[in-house]
Amino acid sequence: MLPSPPGSDLSAALEAARPEAIRRLSPRGMERWEKGADALAQMGRGEGVVLAWIEAAPQVAREIGEEVLADLAPACLGFASRTSGAVIERILATAPLAARRLGDAGLFRSYLRFLEHLLARAPRALRPMLDHLGELLEVLTLGGLRRWADWGIEAHRTDYPELDRYFSLASAESRAVLKRERKGVLLVDVQRRLGMYLRALWGRDFLLVPTAGDVETRAGLRPFVEGPALHLPDALDAWQGLPALDLYRAQVAHLAAHLACLRRPFQGEGLSALQSLCIGLIEDARAEALAIVRFPRLRDLWAPFHRGDGPGLGGQFDRIARALLLGTASEDDPLERWILGLFETSDLQSPDQSRDLGLRLADRLKGQTFSAWTDQPSCPYRCDNRLLWTFEELDFDTSPAPAPQLRKYVSIMEMVNEVEVETAGRDAQEIWVQAAELFDDDGTSFNDREGKEPLSPPIPYDEFDHRIQLMRPAWATVLERRPRLGDPAKAEAILDRHRKIMERLRHRLDAMRPQGTIRVRKLEDGDELDLNPAIAAAIDRRLRQQPDPRVMMRLERKVRDTAVMVLLDLSESTNDATASGETVLDLTQTACVLLAEAIHRVGDAFALHGFQSDGRHQVFYSRFKDFTAPWDTMAKARLMGAEGRLSTRMGTAIRHATHHLGQVKASRKLMLVLTDGAPADIDVTDPLYLRADARRAVEEAARQGVTPFCLSLDPGADAYVSRIFGPRNALVLDRVDRLPERLPQLYAALTR
């Protein structure tokens, strides 16, 4: 029985709604429904909240499943500390509408987090928005709703009348932003039609689930199959003049074709990104070819989405896909004719043919420059092929860990006289290392030829999860590794090639250089008497004139106490070519050489570090130059040997760089982060996750006295970089080729 004051009708309302709830909820759902009503009654925000829960919870469960009730009630309890009971009642009253328009339990949970976000930034905006929620969700996705709301908050956060007009859809700018964020077709509006379309083709029902894309952009996710469900973008715009509904039909037909022909997944171990992409390309063509045998008009549905006019290797993949679908190859492209001939003579019923042809295609393309991030097929209806792959489960060893190996540095005679086992394995208790370098007759070092680089101990760092608003303890691991040596002569050639830039900066750098002890003259209050002004003042008094009282001087020390950390993003995307023909990594190395030369002239302490990641357990960190190391040939060789690989787990790298800056004694500490893209990693699918973690890492660095500043080479970085570093601590460089000149100028401006 609900706790209620005398005369309350809460218990009567609960009993009146019980028969309808029993028809819609399982016994476990009934228990959640009753406990939720009891918790909201004890919250003490009025009977209206409880009555709204009693009515809305079964309707929400009918739309998207009763599991979300376990999230809806706690969310309302959390809202109680930020808003009134009337607003919570309105949230519950509109929950069935939101559940019906979103159509997925995961999206509904994201909607609850959006309400929490809105309450945190502009609580006054929630009530007018809920009053027009139906109009908004009729035309907006969840991501579009959040972007529309964030625009209004940024524009009218302190202007309450305008804020109310914006969220009530009464202002012209509100309708303009709404029109801009409006999508062409929402999946929830055509979901039933697509289900009937698939049933007519394949004679069975398919579960269609909407999936939200990145909330900061209009780009949705690619379709994919996971479990028994076909996951589709929650909304689509028309694509190059083709209707969005046709694109939806092409997507579901492609996913269903995959499910119809795939007997078992492929083993993904040991394959490179290029090999996996080529195998997926052939398997896409095989699935569609088998489907066209049964339904020939599917070729007419898919063909208009294959344009094949893109640049680079991604455009080559598009042209191959079009040739395999249409059965015709370009006369001037031997690669298309070769792969089409092999495909037409292969056994389409055998999935092993896709693997063999894909590996042969990858072998033909391995000499070309390939980026797993940019060289992707552009066909909009094809999925991400995650259903094609399976990976072996890791066999975790739970036995006690062996004692760490002891590395002992010995002389050459000890090494020669005592070492008996030359092939000691990883289980050896003690490893002897020669203290001095030993060279063979050909001038090569035995250590370079046969040595094994010692692994650094793993360094764990916490990571922020924005979904639960908590830090995950020891979640990411940094592994420091020794940089590969390059050619230091390239650094000298860079300095010679850009000598004009350094000459233009010479006067500015000389002005920044510390001047030691200087005399400040003409002071009324100083440390000692300035002889010449004192004599002039005495003469003026003898002549009965007004003397100048500024006859003192003071000695001041002009010193700089600044430490600069340059943190380089060395992910795979830095291998992409720019308009000048150089890669992003080449320009980054050039800019760092000029910057290091500029800082060396000024005399500030500085370090050059870089990072790349392969999942949360392998955030690789390289130190090209430390604060105590000189800017010499070895530092230049390390910088020239930098390689662009893997991904960008920025938050963990910033935390580790902050740790190194914390070891330096300086009154001013600057961290200059140079990156060409948003934080991303292979084990993270939510684009906001690593951005929120990077922002938290920047805040942690600021609390420790470090000033992080980001120079981004991504033209689209305006959408996220200011949110991570702040609007005053970020700069987006539109022309990447100007990086070598702008980076030293930026340093001079930040440390003047």
Side-chain angles (χ1 to χ4, degrees):
M1 186 67 67
L2 288 174
S4 56
S8 173
D9 59 349
L10 292 182
S11 298
L14 187 67
E15 292 303 320
R18 187 179 299 276
E20 182 67 19
I22 290 175
R23 286 195 294 270
R24 295 179 179 178
L25 301 175
S26 67
R28 186 178 181 183
M30 286 293 298
E31 182 181 359
R32 288 174 176 168
W33 180 61
E34 293 173 350
K35 286 185 176 181
D38 183 56
L40 292 173
Q42 294 182 14
M43 184 176 63
R45 288 305 180 95
E47 297 181 359
V49 176
V50 185
L51 294 174
W53 165 266
I54 292 172
E55 181 180 356
Q59 299 179 37
V60 172
R62 182 188 64 181
E63 297 290 346
I64 54 176
E66 62 185 29
E67 294 298 324
V68 297
L69 300 185
D71 299 284
L72 180 57
C76 292
L77 294 174
F79 296 156
S81 62
R82 300 183 180 183
T83 188
S84 64
V87 174
I88 299 176
E89 179 182 351
R90 189 64 183 144
I91 291 174
L92 288 171
T94 56
L97 170 64
R100 183 169 61 255
R101 293 302 304 174
L102 296 175
D104 178 65
L107 287 182
F108 186 79
R109 293 186 180 97
S110 299
Y111 168 73
L112 294 178
R113 291 194 293 270
F114 161 68
L115 295 181
E116 182 180 357
H117 165 79
L118 192 58
L119 278 174
R121 301 192 65 192
R124 293 172 177 263
L126 188 55
R127 185 195 294 267
M129 189 201 72
L130 292 175
D131 291 339
H132 298 81
L133 188 63
E135 301 174 53
L136 293 170
L137 292 182
E138 285 288 337
V139 296
L140 295 181
T141 64
L142 181 58
L145 179 64
R146 176 157 181 167
R147 292 191 297 273
W148 173 81
D150 284 343
W151 197 98
I153 293 171
E154 291 295 335
H156 307 298
R157 179 180 296 178
T158 58
D159 190 350
Y160 297 142
E162 282 299 318
L163 185 73
D164 184 75
R165 293 185 69 248
Y166 182 90
F167 281 87
S168 300
L169 299 179
S171 63
E173 58 187 8
S174 174
R175 294 189 295 272
V177 177
L178 182 67
K179 183 178 179 180
R180 186 186 68 190
E181 296 296 340
R182 177 172 181 165
K183 282 282 189 176
V185 175
L186 303 185
L187 177 61
V188 68
D189 293 330
V190 297
Q191 194 167 2
R192 186 168 179 269
R193 296 168 63 182
L194 294 175
M196 295 173 62
Y197 174 71
L198 288 179
R199 184 172 181 81
L201 287 176
W202 302 99
R204 53 166 289 196
D205 291 325
F206 291 84
L207 177 61
L208 306 182
V209 176
T211 305
D214 186 351
V215 300
E216 293 186 359
T217 67
R218 290 174 58 88
L221 297 177
R222 297 176 67 185
F224 62 93
V225 178
E226 192 169 79
L230 309 184
H231 293 259
L232 303 170
D234 53 356
L236 287 176
D237 288 322
W239 187 81
Q240 298 187 13
L242 298 174
L245 183 58
D246 286 352
L247 180 54
Y248 266 131
R249 289 197 181 103
Q251 288 180 352
V252 297
H254 176 78
L255 295 176
H258 265 309
L259 293 177
C261 76
L262 186 65
R263 299 175 185 174
R264 62 183 182 278
F266 300 111
Q267 287 293 332
E269 283 82 5
L271 296 177
S272 67
L274 178 60
Q275 290 173 328
S276 299
L277 193 150
C278 290
I279 293 173
L281 188 68
I282 302 300
E283 179 62 18
D284 284 337
R286 187 183 77 89
E288 292 179 357
L290 290 175
I292 290 171
V293 170
R294 296 183 61 182
F295 311 108
R297 293 297 298 274
L298 284 179
R299 179 182 282 113
D300 299 335
L301 174 65
W302 287 323
F305 296 100
H306 289 269
R307 299 296 169 90
D309 52 359
L313 202 54
Q316 181 69 65
F317 290 138
D318 289 336
R319 290 187 287 274
I320 291 174
R322 182 181 59 184
L324 296 180
L325 176 68
L326 301 179
T328 58
S330 302
E331 292 295 332
D332 57 347
D333 194 331
L335 182 62
E336 286 185 38
R337 298 199 304 273
W338 172 76
I339 193 63
L340 180 60
L342 293 178
F343 183 77
E344 290 180 338
T345 57
S346 64
D347 181 11
L348 295 180
Q349 298 296 333
S350 174
D352 294 335
Q353 293 291 327
S354 296
R355 183 181 179 90
D356 295 340
L357 288 182
L359 292 177
R360 294 179 66 179
L361 176 61
D363 189 61
R364 289 284 296 265
L365 297 173
K366 66 181 181 180
Q368 302 187 33
T369 302
F370 171 71
S371 171
W373 298 99
T374 58
D375 293 329
Q376 292 288 331
S378 62
C379 183
Y381 72 80
R382 287 190 170 175
C383 61
D384 59 7
N385 282 339
R386 68 179 66 181
L387 80 162
L388 300 183
W389 305 106
T390 184
F391 298 90
E392 294 182 0
E393 294 290 338
L394 295 178
D395 185 14
F396 293 98
D397 185 8
T398 58
S399 60
Q405 291 178 334
L406 174 65
R407 297 180 68 87
K408 183 178 180 181
Y409 291 86
V410 298
S411 67
I412 185 172
M413 294 308 299
E414 289 177 295
M415 179 74 73
V416 171
N417 293 331
E418 297 296 334
V419 174
E420 297 178 356
V421 182
E422 299 180 355
T423 58
R426 298 179 62 182
D427 56 345
Q429 296 180 354
E430 187 174 286
I431 297 178
W432 283 20
V433 182
Q434 184 184 328
E437 192 71 78
L438 182 62
F439 294 88
D440 203 350
D441 295 337
D442 59 358
T444 61
S445 166
F446 281 101
N447 193 38
D448 291 340
R449 195 166 62 194
E450 302 180 7
K452 182 185 295 184
E453 181 180 350
L455 295 176
S456 68
I459 307 171
Y461 283 97
D462 297 350
E463 193 167 85
F464 179 67
D465 190 336
H466 73 103
R467 294 165 295 191
I468 61 176
Q469 293 294 304
L470 292 174
M471 298 293 292
R472 293 187 178 273
W475 192 252
T477 304
V478 170
L479 299 174
E480 288 196 356
R481 59 183 186 181
R482 189 175 301 165
R484 187 177 66 90
L485 296 182
D487 186 4
K490 293 183 179 180
E492 299 298 334
I494 289 172
L495 291 175
D496 292 338
R497 191 166 65 250
H498 295 84
R499 193 169 301 278
K500 291 183 179 180
I501 294 178
M502 298 305 297
E503 285 297 323
R504 288 199 296 268
L505 292 172
R506 182 171 61 84
H507 298 292
R508 192 170 184 179
L509 297 176
D510 290 343
M512 296 169 58
R513 189 174 300 168
Q515 303 297 322
T517 303
I518 63 172
R519 290 185 175 90
V520 182
R521 301 179 182 275
K522 290 190 175 183
L523 300 175
E524 293 187 18
D525 183 15
D527 297 331
E528 56 183 287
L529 188 68
D530 193 354
L531 186 58
N532 290 336
I535 293 175
I539 294 174
D540 289 339
R541 293 189 63 180
R542 292 289 183 92
L543 296 175
R544 298 181 181 277
Q545 297 178 359
Q546 180 65 34
D548 188 347
R550 298 174 297 175
V551 297
M552 304 297 290
M553 67 177 180
R554 181 187 301 121
L555 297 178
E556 290 186 357
R557 294 185 61 196
K558 293 292 184 179
V559 297
R560 288 175 61 88
D561 192 15
T562 302
V564 182
M565 164 73 76
V566 183
L567 186 60
L568 305 179
D569 168 15
L570 299 176
S571 59
E572 177 69 30
S573 57
T574 58
N575 295 320
D576 295 344
T578 63
S580 62
E582 296 181 282
T583 65
V584 175
L585 180 59
D586 294 336
L587 293 174
T588 300
Q589 290 173 323
T590 300
C592 286
V593 169
L594 300 182
L595 175 64
E597 193 69 21
I599 301 178
H600 180 65
R601 288 187 183 183
V602 174
D604 289 341
F606 72 100
L608 296 174
H609 294 180
F611 71 96
Q612 52 200 199
S613 64
D614 189 20
R616 65 186 179 94
H617 293 301
Q618 297 187 94
V619 181
F620 299 112
Y621 195 92
S622 302
R623 295 188 287 172
F624 308 114
K625 180 195 175 302
D626 286 325
F627 288 103
T628 57
W631 174 241
D632 56 4
T633 303
M634 181 58 69
K636 296 175 183 177
R638 290 171 180 161
L639 180 60
M640 291 297 102
E643 295 179 297
R645 298 174 58 246
L646 307 173
S647 305
T648 312
R649 208 174 193 97
M650 186 180 293
T652 304
I654 290 176
R655 290 185 178 92
H656 194 57
T658 303
H659 165 74
H660 283 294
L661 271 169
Q663 312 302 313
V664 182
K665 293 184 178 180
S667 60
R668 187 177 185 184
K669 300 177 182 180
L670 172 67
M671 182 191 302
L672 188 56
V673 181
L674 182 60
T675 180
D676 68 332
D681 211 340
I682 59 172
D683 58 348
V684 177
T685 57
D686 180 4
L688 292 182
Y689 178 87
L690 290 180
R691 299 181 189 182
D693 175 62
R695 179 174 182 176
R696 179 60 62 92
V698 168
E699 294 172 352
E700 294 170 1
R703 286 195 293 268
Q704 298 182 40
V706 177
T707 304
F709 191 96
C710 179
L711 179 59
S712 178
L713 309 180
D714 181 9
D718 293 322
Y720 60 86
V721 69
S722 60
R723 296 190 180 185
I724 296 176
F725 290 88
R728 301 182 61 183
N729 291 333
L731 178 65
V732 179
L733 193 60
D734 295 329
R735 293 179 55 188
V736 182
D737 55 339
R738 296 191 59 192
L739 176 63
E741 182 177 0
R742 291 299 303 273
L743 191 58
Q745 293 176 347
L746 179 63
Y747 155 73
L750 292 175
T751 60
R752 61 186 176 187

